[in-house]
Amino acid sequence: MWPPPMWLMRQAGRYLPEYRAIRAGVTDFIALCTTPEKAAEVTLQPIRRYGFDAAILFSDILVLPWALGHGLEFKEGEGPVLPKLRDAAGVDALNPAKVAAAVAPVMETVRRVAAGLTTEGFSQTALIGFAGAPFTVACYMVEGGGSRDFAATRAMAYADPALFGRLMDTLTEATIVYLSAQVDAGAEVLMLFDSWAGVLAPGLFRTHVIAPATRIINALRQRHPGIPIIGFPRLAGLMVGDYAATGVNAIGMDTSMDLTRASGAIPASVALQGNLDPMALVAGGVALANETDAILAAMRGRPFIFNLGHGIVPQTPPDHVAALVERVRGA
Ligand code: CP3
């Protein structure tokens, strides 16, 4: 399929004035994620503006730990802040029985987006549902927020594998329920974001990235045969070839990946997705054109979805996104 389908990670967000207008009308980011009317509206904004081939549900990977009863706050300019989970009591406090009711507004958002795509004339646009992969979600829960190296999480995985394994199992099972509900609500593709997969040594990568993704994908395929699933094991480096064995249909490439070499490590039956540097999109002009063309040239003839290598940043000029869409469409 050429030109390749395209969408952008974080395509709904602060770089769009129409997003900032909606965001200004809610008390906090979680309120936006759990108000279906507004979440559906911001999901559709980038589709109306750019006509991307996919809409991604507007929510956040940290909605799932929040739904399990773990605290979550988004502080202005600080990112997410969560209670630090460091002991058995923290794992025992997670309550999978709470998830279905807590995520009901997210499912309503999915239904509204599915209906909106049809009524607004975007019936060819795929609706992507998503979740954080268990390891990345565990990272935020153990650290209590973002971190440069997720040192406490990695130390816990080595020092108390039983406890960390119990946390991972709880998250894995909850992720299956959460993603399955999104499909029931109308999601046509699923994406698993493992943004911090690359901080793990290979042994732990197999245990905490590959194994849970395999379990999630197998369970989802039993319930929803044929559902396409995209994995994003960010910064996985040479481990990316192993990730294909999870059964994913597509693998998101982060910006550091050489697409030609990654392509050689991944079977042609698995599509690649990526991997324009979000900063090339900020820069625009010749740099953006050259980077885009290099990606397209490397991926021509291979199953491929054009995307960024990580999420779009707030300082991105909306005009640069329009220029990118035009360039990819003209490939
Ligand atoms: O891609 C999309 O447009 C769909 C929505 C989406 C958001 N976050 C919206 C969001 C998706 C798929 C995510 C995934 C997500 N969230 C990841 C995985 C991908 C990645 O970026 O690595 C991670 C690690 C998170 C956790 C998270 N959420 C952080 C660290 C932050 C703060 C940093 C920031 O950009 O503000 C968020 C907040 C967040 N999630 C915003 C948006 C639009 C900004 C909040 C706001 O508008 O105030």
Side-chain angles (χ1 to χ4, degrees):
M1 189 179 172
W2 208 261
M6 79 177 296
W7 66 281
L8 304 180
M9 290 189 278
R10 290 275 182 103
Q11 63 192 17
R14 288 165 294 187
Y15 76 108
L16 290 177
E18 59 268 37
Y19 172 86
R20 294 195 300 270
I22 301 269
R23 178 74 176 79
V26 291
T27 47
D28 61 30
F29 177 68
I30 304 165
L32 179 53
C33 294
T34 53
T35 307
E37 189 195 354
K38 293 188 176 184
E41 170 64 19
V42 298
T43 304
L44 292 168
Q45 286 173 344
I47 307 306
R48 293 182 192 127
R49 208 187 243 262
Y50 302 113
F52 292 126
D53 296 301
I56 182 161
L57 162 70
F58 189 85
S59 181
D60 196 84
I61 65 163
L62 300 178
V63 165
L64 187 59
W66 170 83
L68 282 161
H70 199 71
L72 173 64
E73 254 186 287
F74 278 89
K75 297 202 171 148
E76 230 38 74
E78 231 189 278
V81 180
L82 301 80
K84 291 184 165 73
L85 191 160
R86 299 284 164 91
D87 55 19
V91 178
D92 293 336
L94 300 174
N95 186 357
K98 279 190 175 167
V99 170
V103 302
V106 177
M107 303 312 149
E108 176 59 20
T109 303
V110 175
R111 284 189 289 271
R112 281 177 185 242
V113 174
L117 287 171
T118 305
T119 56
E120 295 191 33
F122 300 109
S123 50
Q124 298 303 304
T125 306
L127 174 49
I128 305 177
F130 74 91
F135 177 69
T136 288
V137 172
C139 277
Y140 285 95
M141 296 172 84
V142 172
E143 305 292 335
S147 157
R148 188 168 44 82
D149 52 11
F150 295 95
T153 313
R154 287 149 60 210
M156 185 177 176
Y158 287 115
D160 198 342
L163 179 63
F164 192 72
R166 214 147 62 74
L167 172 59
M168 289 291 295
D169 284 344
T170 301
L171 292 173
T172 300
E173 288 307 318
T175 302
I176 292 166
V177 171
Y178 182 50
L179 287 174
S180 182
Q182 291 181 40
V183 177
D184 290 334
E188 300 162 304
V189 178
L190 296 172
M191 180 153 165
L192 202 51
F193 286 88
D194 219 344
S195 301
W196 300 108
V199 303
L200 290 172
L204 290 186
F205 186 96
R206 290 186 187 97
T207 310
H208 297 307
V209 173
I210 307 244
T214 306
R215 207 165 122 195
I216 290 165
I217 291 164
N218 286 340
L220 288 166
R221 289 271 166 64
Q222 265 178 17
R223 291 169 209 207
H224 315 278
I227 183 82
I229 303 171
I230 307 167
F232 183 43
R234 199 170 71 91
L235 302 174
L238 294 174
M239 299 302 288
V240 78
D242 301 43
Y243 194 86
T246 59
V248 280
N249 301 89
I251 306 182
M253 300 286 126
D254 65 75
T255 292
S256 72
M257 285 286 181
D258 180 282
L259 289 181
T260 305
R261 280 193 240 170
S263 192
I266 294 167
S269 55
V270 178
L272 299 192
Q273 172 176 282
N275 73 342
L276 182 74
D277 188 339
M279 296 312 148
L281 189 55
V282 171
V286 179
L288 174 60
N290 288 344
E291 289 299 307
T292 304
D293 290 354
I295 290 168
L296 292 167
M299 291 292 97
R300 198 171 187 121
R302 196 195 193 294
F304 178 60
I305 303 162
F306 193 96
N307 206 312
L308 300 175
H310 202 187
I312 199 165
V313 294
Q315 66 269 34
T316 305
D319 284 0
H320 293 186
V321 178
L324 173 64
V325 171
E326 198 183 331
R327 191 128 197 131
V328 175
R329 298 301 191 203

